Amino acid sequence: MHTLELKNISVKAGEKLIVDDASFAFKSGEVHIIMGPNGSGKSSLLNALMGHPKYAITGGSILLDSEDITALPTEKKAKAGLFLSLQHLPEIHGVSMTSFLHRAYKDQKDSDILPLDFYKKMNTLATEFGIDARFLKGHVNTNLSGGEKKQSEILQLLALEPKFAFLDEIDSGVDIDSMKKVYSAINALKAKGIGFILVTHFVNILEHVHPDMVHVMREGKLVASGGRELAERINKEGFEKI
């Protein structure tokens, strides 16, 4: 059982405070959803947790299994078991997805798995979750639609099986067929004990993923936390009444 605790996290972008004193904790196999109006700090929080250079954590701490990892560089946070799916995925020309993931897998898992064996492993996973295996041979996120990029990101998540995954609007601008595959993978990995923070604007996620907690951010602050009934209330009343 793993735990991840955010204690009084404050984040700045330049001189602007964009996350103010955010705290919550979760453990293996839990799904927490963060909702809120545009510009409330949701994506900034996830990026800061992973060490994006645009954001500086100016207060508080991140505890992974009670160890303070706040100041670790991004690659060491990844090796420790954190994963971030960005809202806008970069394209990496000239690097195949299989090569990219093989190197990441070897580094993070301290594995000496051979490239062909790794490809077979990933091809099996892609088939299991209905994801087109051609993504494995293509360049990372190159010439893919929005839904295809999200499926490609799920392949990365399936390969690395982190302790905790932060998914930033994984359901934004994605067709329903792609979303079914994304939700299927999230639920399967949740059952294996991976914890998730999902940033979303869409309450209909509740039809596919059952959150342990729902949090609401507004103007950089976590202003409410509760169960799925909180998301249902937002759907009826909007954020202003929360």
Side-chain angles (χ1 to χ4, degrees), residues 124-205:
T124 298
L125 284 171
T127 301
E128 179 181 351
F129 287 92
I131 297 174
D132 195 332
R134 69 184 173 85
F135 296 156
L136 294 169
K137 295 182 178 180
H139 297 174
V140 178
N141 294 326
T142 302
N143 297 322
L144 300 180
S145 68
E148 289 173 334
K149 284 184 177 181
K150 298 299 185 181
Q151 290 184 60
S152 173
E153 197 78 350
I154 289 299
L155 270 181
Q156 298 177 44
L157 184 58
L158 291 169
L160 299 177
E161 288 193 355
K163 296 173 184 173
F164 295 98
F166 312 143
L167 308 186
D168 189 6
E169 297 197 24
I170 193 74
D171 51 359
S172 179
V174 180
D175 63 89
I176 188 62
D177 291 331
S178 294
M179 279 317 312
K180 287 180 179 179
K181 296 171 185 178
V182 168
Y183 291 139
S184 176
I186 290 172
N187 287 322
L189 292 172
K190 177 182 186 295
K192 286 188 174 185
I194 294 177
F196 287 90
I197 299 178
L198 309 179
V199 163
T200 184
H201 289 285
F202 301 110
V203 175
N204 61 5
I205 193 174

